Amino acid sequence: LFHIRRFQTTTAVFPKRFWQFVPETIQKNDHDYYKLEPHDVAATPQRFFDAANLKYLVTEATSSFSSQNFSLVYDNDLKIYENKSVLPRAYVVFRAETARNMEDARAKFYNASFDWKRSVIVEDEESLGLQGSLRPYQPVKIISYEPDEVILRTNLDQEGILVLTDTYYSEWRASIDGVAVRVYPANVLFRAVKVSAGEHEIRFVMRPWWFWPSVFVSLFTIITMVFLFLKKSTIGKVHLTIRAWLTKQ
């Protein structure tokens, strides 16, 4: 109704990156769909809430917690707290650090020296380090958002790393102004692409490896069914014609 996505998983099946990204205060509740208990909020790193674009925390009316980064915005049948320092759904930073793998990325992300509002951790074997300025992040305009396609627009005065706080999967493809570019895992769980200065349109599209094979199989199945149907109809007409001719004889 309000187009508010839920970060907490409601299934026993989840991406490995989800486990690597969430802090220990959530990992310990793996038996209960990774809930965050109210008394653990203060012990949970604020960077987790901000980088995951977690703007609201919802608790039961009888529960409460204290945090300087959250303010109570609704208190009735339940309580809703708003994160006052949350990062946007999509944004650009101008400095990037590289990691060898997701385990290394997690260690760097939760390191006290990492500034999650001015930099990003990308997993890259080709050393996509960006030693730009430590200026604040720049929000990105979302033009269109669908489950299998996201369109964004940037207007930058220098190159940066665009971070989209949606789960990274290798099947996601990206293009900038129609030209294919590489999608990098960002801050363990999310997606990122490198964007040059100027105005650009960035498009993320889900294209699993089995997409085109399934299309060809479906087309082949349809063509085969049509062929069999027409063949059966033609044979039926021939039988009727022969029967009618024999009857007349």
Side-chain angles (χ1 to χ4, degrees):
L1 177 61
F2 298 103
H3 301 287
I4 299 177
R5 59 176 181 162
R6 182 176 181 175
F7 183 83
Q8 175 192 349
T9 180
T10 56
T11 175
V13 180
F14 55 90
K16 183 179 180 181
R17 289 186 176 277
F18 177 88
W19 169 261
Q20 286 290 341
F21 175 70
V22 298
E24 294 178 0
T25 50
I26 296 179
Q27 285 182 347
K28 68 179 183 179
N29 293 321
D30 59 348
H31 63 284
D32 195 16
Y33 297 112
Y34 298 96
K35 289 181 180 178
L36 177 63
E37 299 295 341
H39 59 265
D40 284 332
V41 172
T44 302
Q46 184 61 34
R47 65 188 63 203
F48 162 73
F49 298 115
D50 295 346
N53 187 232
L54 287 172
K55 189 173 183 177
Y56 299 102
L57 291 182
V58 181
T59 71
E60 297 176 351
T62 56
S63 301
S64 62
F65 63 87
S66 176
S67 173
Q68 62 179 3
N69 294 298
F70 286 87
S71 58
L72 184 63
V73 294
Y74 181 84
D75 187 2
N76 196 344
D77 53 327
L78 49 79
K79 291 182 179 180
I80 301 178
Y81 295 84
E82 182 178 2
N83 184 359
K84 297 180 292 184
S85 60
V86 67
L87 287 168
R89 184 71 173 271
Y91 60 95
V92 170
V93 290
F94 302 93
R95 176 167 291 192
E97 299 180 28
T98 60
R100 299 184 304 275
N101 48 48
M102 69 177 75
E103 291 79 13
D104 186 33
R106 174 189 172 85
K108 291 185 176 183
F109 177 78
Y110 284 108
N111 189 291
S113 64
F114 175 65
D115 188 342
W116 65 97
K117 292 191 175 183
R118 300 173 184 269
S119 186
V120 62
I121 306 295
V122 294
E123 296 168 41
D124 174 49
E125 298 177 352
E126 301 174 1
S127 300
L128 177 68
L130 182 63
Q131 300 301 319
S133 61
L134 278 174
R135 57 194 288 187
Y137 67 85
Q138 180 173 322
V140 170
K141 185 176 182 180
I142 298 178
I143 304 301
S144 173
Y145 190 94
E146 300 295 337
D148 58 353
E149 183 181 58
V150 182
I151 303 175
L152 311 164
R153 183 168 296 154
T154 59
N155 192 356
L156 310 175
D157 58 9
Q158 67 179 84
E159 68 175 352
I161 303 294
L162 184 153
V163 180
L164 177 63
T165 57
D166 285 352
T167 303
Y168 171 87
Y169 289 103
S170 58
E171 289 81 4
W172 279 98
R173 302 290 182 263
S175 63
I176 299 178
D177 300 329
V179 179
V181 295
R182 181 178 173 183
V183 182
Y184 298 91
N187 291 341
V188 185
L189 184 60
F190 310 114
R191 305 177 216 151
V193 294
K194 189 174 183 179
V195 184
S196 61
E199 187 171 351
H200 301 285
E201 180 180 278
I202 298 90
R203 186 185 301 262
F204 289 90
V205 179
M206 170 59 82
R207 284 292 181 266
W209 66 267
W210 42 262
F211 176 77
W212 285 114
S214 64
V215 170
F216 292 134
V217 170
S218 298
L219 289 174
F220 177 77
T221 302
I222 293 173
I223 293 172
T224 301
M225 292 179 65
V226 171
F227 172 77
L228 292 176
F229 175 79
L230 293 176
K231 183 178 180 181
K232 184 177 180 180
S233 299
T234 302
I235 293 175
K237 290 180 179 179
V238 171
H239 286 171
L240 288 174
T241 302
I242 294 174
R243 185 179 301 173
W245 183 80
L246 291 174
T247 301
K248 290 181 180 179
Q249 294 299 318

